[in-house]
Amino acid sequence: MRYFPIFLDLDGQKVLVVGGGEQAAQKLRLLLKTSARVCVVAAEACAEIEAAAAAGRLELQRRPFRPRDLADVRLAIAATDDEGETAGVAAAARAMGVPLNVVDRQDLSSFITPSIVDRDPVVVAIGTEGTAPVLARRIKALMEPLLPARLGMLARFAASWRTSVAERVRDVGARRGFWERFFGGRIADRFLGGDVAGAVAELDDEIDRANVEAVGSVALVGAGPGDPDLLTFKALRALQEADVIVVDRLVPKAILDRARRDARRIEVGKNPRGRSTPQAEIDAILVREALAGRKVVRLKGGDPMIFGRAVEEMTALAEAGVPFEVVPGITAALGCAATIGLPLTEREARRGFTIVTGHSTDGAAEHDWQALARPGQTVAVYMGVGAAPHIESRLLAVGIDPNTPVTVVENGTLPQQKLALGTAGRLVETLIDGGIKGPAIIFIGAHPLPRPCAARTPAHLSDRIDTIHAEAA
Ligand code: SAH
């Protein structure tokens, strides 16, 4: 990050704009929303600027720029067509240490201005350090409909209650809970809907509620297979509201980056090679943190209800009387299937999709192998890399067609995703040839469709898929 994002207090400060054309007028439209003292220096000014000057909203000096104009200036903007004048402003600003923006000349500017979504006093600033202004505008367009028009008024309404709430809700944690419910619940809903009296009534109730002893809660949240864009909105909201996040070591940093920054993180979890936190200890942490009144997120890879020890955690929470909810996530098999273009069912040809684990507490898991070997279905094996020799020999023993297609995806949806393609009769070889170490999903019963159907598959994987299809033909 080369540019540091800040909001600068311009109240009563002098701001200088050099230039009187359309570009200057554009900059002035935003500047005049602040309570800065705005001064424009320009030999000639357009009608809009003349009008603002006539209305006393800015001071207009009808003459060329002089270095002395920068005295006591907090911020300067050069928006003049005259290159010589621009160079003069840039040199003087640099010499006098005045922050300067030169329109369309990032090289001469010591600051640049972001794209903004304006719900004054709520302002979202979007910057790309000048690399992609169009991208910034697209992000702005995405955000506009997300932020209600009355959001700024809601912020002012909240500010007008801040002192009174601080007096009536003494406990800091309870107060933070109150403000969470203020913005995330009925108070904001009413206010944004225009019902101010209703909002005030809700506010009184909510203050009373905040003073009843704070109870924490736990959300078992699915983080999805790894790509942060595959988080659900609900998961994102839970992550942003959490006081404490209890997280598996396998959850990528890119996902944790989306969590509330000052949330406390407790790393736990299953590490096949390193230290694992015993499940009972994890259960105890969840109960302890929630009973202390905190909002706890138990963040798990994929979906919490699939091979995620949800039973133990939910039982422990229920026994301790801690309220909890489950936020589903995209399970690994679904994420992997999507990125490589492998439909999990197929009309008539594959009528079902089964999820099994390759691993159990005492080693390789046992299953009804006869059922898993039957054609006309897709089986996704989780935690199956270590158990591959066992799976291969069991399937062959019950007479699986050794040519049954097998697809293996390691680190699915992540940049380091790997793909291996083979057959049930050569399962172990397929893993070895593909350099697969896990975490991986082994799909038995299907290969990905050829390239045009998997348009978003990374090129090196598409090539592999093409080769397989060419060999089969
Ligand atoms: N609750 C998780 C599964 C936890 S068990 C879910 O719903 O996805 C851990 C196993 O999930 C791993 O051994 C591996 O088989 C699978 N897995 C998790 N993330 C994966 C990924 N990004 N790519 C491939 N397999 C993954």
Side-chain angles (χ1 to χ4, degrees):
M1 200 189 279
R2 172 166 167 185
Y3 288 81
F4 186 66
I6 56 169
F7 287 96
L8 196 63
D9 184 0
L10 288 182
D11 187 36
Q13 304 282 321
K14 184 167 172 191
V15 176
L16 178 74
V17 175
V18 180
E22 172 53 29
Q23 287 186 322
Q26 263 177 31
K27 293 282 181 187
L28 282 164
R29 267 168 235 153
L30 191 58
L31 275 174
L32 289 176
K33 287 189 180 180
T34 71
S35 46
R37 287 185 293 128
V38 179
C39 177
V40 177
V41 172
E44 250 178 87
C46 66
E48 183 177 341
I49 296 177
E50 285 289 356
R57 300 177 62 210
L58 54 81
E59 179 195 330
L60 176 60
Q61 307 267 354
R62 292 177 193 77
R63 55 165 176 76
F65 165 81
R66 301 185 292 237
R68 173 152 37 98
D69 293 329
L70 284 169
D72 301 325
V73 163
R74 190 80 187 80
L75 211 62
I77 292 174
T80 157
D81 295 337
D82 182 333
E83 279 184 24
E85 189 169 46
T86 300
V89 179
R94 212 174 310 122
M96 295 168 74
V98 176
L100 172 73
N101 176 261
V102 182
V103 174
D104 292 338
R105 287 295 301 273
Q106 196 172 343
D107 58 322
L108 293 180
S109 303
S110 58
F111 73 92
I112 54 177
T113 50
S115 263
I116 62 167
V117 183
D118 183 5
R119 301 287 183 276
D120 177 46
V122 179
V123 175
V124 182
I126 303 149
T128 61
E129 303 202 346
T131 55
V134 174
L135 176 63
R137 249 173 279 137
R138 285 176 60 106
I139 297 172
K140 169 182 155 75
L142 286 175
M143 302 203 68
E144 284 287 357
L146 291 179
L147 302 182
R150 285 168 59 86
L151 195 65
M153 278 190 262
L154 177 67
R156 287 217 170 80
F157 177 67
S160 72
W161 282 90
R162 196 159 293 281
T163 317
S164 146
V165 169
E167 278 163 9
R168 290 170 66 190
V169 186
R170 290 274 169 200
D171 179 74
V172 180
R175 201 153 64 227
R176 197 174 59 220
F178 166 85
W179 287 114
E180 291 281 355
R181 288 188 299 279
F182 179 103
F183 289 109
R186 280 202 295 267
I187 304 175
D189 283 350
R190 293 251 160 134
F191 187 92
L192 293 173
D195 175 10
V196 178
V200 173
E202 292 284 353
L203 199 136
D204 265 325
D205 286 356
E206 206 50 84
I207 287 178
D208 293 341
R209 223 167 294 150
N211 282 318
V212 185
E213 199 186 343
V215 202
S217 60
V218 175
L220 305 183
V221 176
D227 176 355
D229 281 352
L230 292 177
L231 282 167
T232 64
F233 282 124
K234 201 164 182 181
L236 207 54
R237 198 175 330 128
L239 281 173
Q240 281 166 9
E241 288 173 0
D243 299 310
V244 181
I245 299 173
V246 182
V247 62
D248 288 350
R249 285 187 196 101
L250 276 178
V251 174
K253 181 174 170 302
I255 287 183
L256 286 172
D257 284 347
R258 314 254 166 137
R260 203 177 109 200
R261 212 145 357 137
D262 53 349
R264 189 155 55 91
R265 307 228 172 120
I266 303 177
E267 275 204 358
V268 295
K270 318 285 164 283
N271 189 339
R273 282 164 280 274
R275 181 188 115 86
S276 292
T277 314
Q279 187 58 42
E281 197 180 307
I282 300 176
D283 301 346
I285 293 172
L286 298 180
V287 169
R288 180 191 75 208
E289 294 296 323
L291 290 182
R294 302 194 180 100
K295 276 198 173 167
V296 183
V297 162
R298 169 72 177 109
L299 188 63
K300 292 158 175 289
D303 181 89
M305 307 295 235
I306 296 179
F307 306 133
R309 309 293 292 263
V311 176
E312 286 96 321
E313 295 178 7
M314 288 162 78
T315 307
L317 294 168
E319 279 171 1
V322 171
F324 65 88
E325 67 167 331
V326 179
V327 178
I330 292 180
T331 193
L334 302 188
C336 292
T339 51
I340 59 164
L342 182 151
L344 294 166
T345 63
E346 192 179 341
R347 208 163 66 96
E348 304 305 330
R350 283 177 293 135
R351 293 185 165 159
F353 163 52
T354 308
I355 285 179
V356 296
T357 174
H359 179 86
S360 73
T361 38
D362 45 6
E366 287 305 342
H367 293 284
D368 178 351
W369 296 104
Q370 204 90 51
L372 296 182
R374 221 164 277 145
Q377 60 172 336
T378 313
V379 177
V381 186
Y382 286 59
M383 297 174 273
V385 175
H390 173 83
I391 297 170
E392 181 184 306
S393 66
R394 285 288 199 268
L395 287 173
L396 288 173
V398 298
I400 195 171
D401 174 354
N403 290 321
T404 304
V406 161
T407 301
V408 188
V409 184
E410 179 185 87
N411 285 314
T413 81
L414 290 162
Q416 67 271 33
Q417 170 170 308
K418 262 194 205 167
L419 173 68
L421 300 171
T423 55
R426 306 181 55 219
L427 175 60
V428 175
E429 268 177 86
T430 305
L431 292 174
I432 294 172
D433 290 352
I436 303 286
K437 299 192 185 64
I441 298 288
I442 301 172
F443 293 101
I444 301 165
H447 278 158
L449 293 186
R451 190 200 301 249
C453 303
R456 304 191 60 135
T457 308
H460 66 287
L461 298 180
S462 306
D463 292 347
R464 189 76 194 97
I465 295 171
D466 285 353
T467 315
I468 288 281
H469 279 277
E471 279 166 7

